């Protein structure tokens, strides 16, 4: 494989996609780094698949530019973009054998037979398909079909690989296996992976970088641990985590010490405790889900419904619990749904920041090829990277 | 117990079976029997003549002419209808302005009775005034009597057949094309597959079952639909547009030579059966069924 091609990243600048009756993407700026596993995560209808199709060239953006390395690709047809794609439905040709399916692209591009055979041999071996090459897709299991689709992407030896919810048609066990397999493959080949999913477990387990999307906008771009530890918006806080973060109205916690602009206080179910240091508040137990290792206790906290995660061995809780909310575990959000950082130097500017961040890439730009410097954004994000 | 179930089943099947036997199977068998007997005339009853009727076939120049004509007619109408149907289906499958209208327009000839279609085409072919004549006169060409001259009559009626059945076949192709997932086209586009290559390597193999179905139907139609011959040429001029089924009709109901008509019918059924079975087994090996 050509080493120079492997370094291509994918950048989107001000990408807008409008359909006749709706706006699917409104101003997306993001950089998906070379050789890394990026996941586009969001609820259905958030525009993540549209974004992937724009990168693939299957749809054209209404506005904005898309770059692959130093090449502007949004004006190129799909075949001229140096990328491969795995579809949710696998898009295998039902009348062709596994070998013909895998070699389809090479045959179309008239790669010499000897080279086709050599590459097929290697990829089939890598994907464990060597014994199945003569079969038709209908004679394969879901997992095997998935592997064929992956093999077809891999054999093209293109540096960028796009995947649109590739695991959603598989059963839970197979999905876990394939997650590990796809991640291993990406690392082994150094692919720039762009992976669309609505499954946060997939995103958290596989990604180097998660791009959380909602309603056609990017909410946050961060590594999985940062995303979980420091959600930047209420949406991200309420989306990531199973069960998600408890989001409690400020009014329900009258004496809690928080910045004045605070509208919502968030705390993860496992961060609350029944003892130890922190803000103490009484809550009434309204429900219990026992999961074995854990139990999830539903509580009424001054009218707000919160979930507390307790260890499974702890035994059933009583009627009333005294909760402790450790100060360093609190996430505070303003009325606009934007995170307020206690350590942020200028809390009054967060409204402006809110506007900017939704429109701008959240990753720092090492190359500095992105026009005017957004000091505040870069500084605050620089800390996280 | 089993016996009882069989009886009940038979009782339910009886009405359909009765109709089927009375109007399909009995006449078919009777036709085969009749072909070995002479035609009863007046007080002279039918006599067993063995294969005399079949011997007469081979000596009959009009029968030979009808067979040759039918072969030409089939060779024109089958591929032309299929090709036209496929082209129309691919055209109206894409995103074009007024797609519903175009689809309806293409399908309209199928809804029209063939007799009405024949009358429309009579006007197209009308010497001196018809549509084709007007086009020819615009180009400064001399007038022609398309269906009145022996050289062109067969091609004239062939054109009518293609026009009237292509829209019907288009519907099947359209249905087949819409079952091909768009992701296949997208996957191929990313691989750098041209439209023609995609058609040749993906679309065509995937619509092969439809092609088989349509070609069997077109073949049957080539021997079966002769309504327009009645209106347009009556097999003429000088048997130039004589087709097998029309010849059967002429023998049976113009000349009342029913035994000879029965013989011709047996020949036609044999041809259709052979073609149908042949097509099925020949194409079946190259057809991918999902």
């Amino acid at each position: 494989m050509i080493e120079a091609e492997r370094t291509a990243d994918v950048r989107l600048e001000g990408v807008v996609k409008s359909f006749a009756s709706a706006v699917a993407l409104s101003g997306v700026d993001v950089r998906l780094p070379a050789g890394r596993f990026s996941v586009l995560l969001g609820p259905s209808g958030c525009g993540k698949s549209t974004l992937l199709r724009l990168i693939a060239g299957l749809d054209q953006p209404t506005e904005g530019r898309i770059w692959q390395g130093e090449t502007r690709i949004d004006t190129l047809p799909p075949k001229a973009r140096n990328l491969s794609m795995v579809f949710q439905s696998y898009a295998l040709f039902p009348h062709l054998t596994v070998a013909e399916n895998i070699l389809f692209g090479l045959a179309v591009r008239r790669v010499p037979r000897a080279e086709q055979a050599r590459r097929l041999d290697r990829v089939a071996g890598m994907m464990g398909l060597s014994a199945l090459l003569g079969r038709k897709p209908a004679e394969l299991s879901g997992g095997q079909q998935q592997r064929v689709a992956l093999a077809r992407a891999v054999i093209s030896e293109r540096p960028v690989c796009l995947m649109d919810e590739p695991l959603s048609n598989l059963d839970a066990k197979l999905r876990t296996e394939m997650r590990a397999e796809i991640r291993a493959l990406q690392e082994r080949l150094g692919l720039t992976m762009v992976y669309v999913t609505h499954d946060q477990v997939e995103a958290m387990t596989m990604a180097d970088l998660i791009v959380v999307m909602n309603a056609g906008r990017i909410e946050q771009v961060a590594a999985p641990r940062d995303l979980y530890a420091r959600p930047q918006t209420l949406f991200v806080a309420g989306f990531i985590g199973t069960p998600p973060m408890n989001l409690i109205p400020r009014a329900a916690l009258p004496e809690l010490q928080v910045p004045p602009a605070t509208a919502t206080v968030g705390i993860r179910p496992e961060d609350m405790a029944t003892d130890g240091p922190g803000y103490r508040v009484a809550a009434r137990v309204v429900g219990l889900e026992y999961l074995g290792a854990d139990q999830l206790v539903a509580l009424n906290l001054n009218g707000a419904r919160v979930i507390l995660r307790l260890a499974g061995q702890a035994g059933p809780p009583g009627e009333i619990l005294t909760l402790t909310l450790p100060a360093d575990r609190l996430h505070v959000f303003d009325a606009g749904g934007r995170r307020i950082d206690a350590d942020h130097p200028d809390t009054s500017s967060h409204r402006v920041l809110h506007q900017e961040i939704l429109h701008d890439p959240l990753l720092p730009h090492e190359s500095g090829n992105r026009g005017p410097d957004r000091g505040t954004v870069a500084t605050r994000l620089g800390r996280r990277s | 117990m089993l016996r009882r179930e069989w009886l009940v089943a038979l009782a339910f099947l009886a009405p359909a079976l009765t109709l089927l036997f009375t109007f399909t199977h009995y006449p078919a068998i009777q036709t085969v029997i009749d072909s070995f007997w002479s035609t009863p005339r007046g007080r002279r009853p039918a006599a067993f003549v063995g294969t005399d009727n079949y011997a007469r076939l081979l000596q009959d120049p009009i029968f030979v002419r009808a067979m040759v004509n039918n072969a030409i007619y089939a060779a024109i109408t089958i591929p032309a209808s299929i090709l036209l149907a496929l082209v129309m289906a691919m055209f109206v499958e894409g995103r074009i302005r007024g797609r519903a209208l175009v689809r309806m327009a293409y399908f309209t000839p199928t809804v029209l009775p063939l007799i009405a279609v024949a009358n429309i085409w009579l006007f197209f072919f009308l010497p001196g005034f018809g549509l084709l004549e007007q086009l020819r006169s615009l180009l400064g060409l001399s007038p022609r009597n398309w269906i009145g001259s022996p050289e062109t009559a067969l091609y004239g009626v062939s054109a009518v057949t293609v026009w009237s059945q292509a829209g019907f076949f288009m519907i099947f192709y359209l249905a087949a094309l819409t079952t091909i997932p768009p992701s296949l086209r997208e996957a191929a586009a990313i691989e750098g597959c041209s439209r023609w290559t995609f058609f040749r390597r993906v679309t065509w193999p995937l619509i092969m079952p439809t092609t088989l179905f349509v070609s069997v139907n077109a073949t049957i139609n080539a021997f079966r639909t002769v309504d327009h011959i009645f209106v347009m040429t009556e097999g003429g001029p000088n048997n130039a547009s004589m087709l097998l089924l029309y010849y059967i009709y002429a023998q049976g109901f113009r000349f009342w030579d029913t035994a000879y008509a029965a013989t011709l019918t047996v020949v036609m059924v044999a041809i259709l059966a052979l073609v149908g079975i042949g097509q099925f087994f020949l194409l079946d090996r190259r057809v991918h069924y999902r």
Side-chain angles (χ1 to χ4, degrees), chain A residues 96-265:
Chain A
L96 301 180
T97 63
V98 168
E100 288 167 331
N101 262 289
I102 297 174
L103 289 173
F104 186 84
L106 300 190
V108 164
R109 292 195 293 275
R110 295 177 202 281
V111 171
R113 293 258 163 172
E115 168 151 13
Q116 285 189 25
R118 186 179 58 74
R119 274 155 83 165
L120 176 66
D121 194 44
R122 208 194 54 192
V123 171
M126 192 196 306
M127 306 298 297
L129 290 168
S130 301
L132 306 173
L133 290 176
R135 295 217 198 153
K136 296 278 176 72
E139 298 161 346
L140 301 178
S141 70
Q144 290 166 336
Q145 290 184 17
Q146 166 74 77
R147 251 174 255 253
V148 177
L150 272 175
R152 196 170 61 183
V154 166
I155 203 167
S156 71
E157 298 187 354
R158 288 168 165 183
V160 175
C161 180
L162 311 178
M163 293 200 176
D164 187 4
E165 310 218 14
L167 304 183
S168 57
N169 293 339
L170 302 180
D171 63 51
K173 183 170 171 289
L174 209 51
R175 210 177 299 167
T176 315
E177 283 173 27
M178 288 308 290
R179 270 202 321 245
E181 226 168 281
I182 291 175
R183 175 63 170 160
L185 195 70
Q186 179 269 330
E187 284 181 330
R188 182 169 163 192
L189 302 176
L191 292 169
T192 303
M193 184 75 83
V194 185
Y195 185 104
V196 162
T197 184
H198 62 267
D199 182 347
Q200 53 168 301
V201 178
E202 275 177 30
M204 295 298 265
T205 52
M206 297 166 88
D208 289 314
L209 188 74
I210 299 179
V211 179
V212 184
M213 298 187 62
N214 182 36
R217 290 173 179 279
I218 291 181
E219 290 277 338
Q220 187 173 356
V221 182
R225 283 173 193 280
D226 294 330
L227 195 69
Y228 194 76
R230 296 183 65 81
Q232 292 299 312
T233 66
L234 261 185
F235 174 82
V236 176
F239 188 70
I240 303 292
T242 317
M245 184 184 285
N246 294 304
L247 298 168
I248 309 162
R250 171 77 179 92
L253 302 164
E255 284 151 47
L256 186 66
Q257 293 286 314
V258 286
T262 303
T264 310
V265 176

Side-chain angles (χ1 to χ4, degrees), chain B residues 7 14 22-23 53 70-71 83 107 112 122 132 138 145 154 160 164 215 232 237 241 246 250 278:
Chain B
L7 284 175
T22 315
F23 294 108
N53 284 326
N70 225 142
L83 191 69
F107 190 63
L112 298 176
L122 269 184
L132 285 177
L138 278 181
N145 187 353
L154 186 61
V160 178
S164 68
S215 66
M232 296 177 75
S241 61
Y246 191 83

Side-chain angles (χ1 to χ4, degrees), chain B residues 63-81:
Chain B
F63 167 75
V64 175
R65 184 69 197 261
M67 290 294 280
V68 171
N69 279 351
N70 225 142
I72 296 170
Y73 179 76
I76 295 170
T77 59
I78 298 168
S81 316

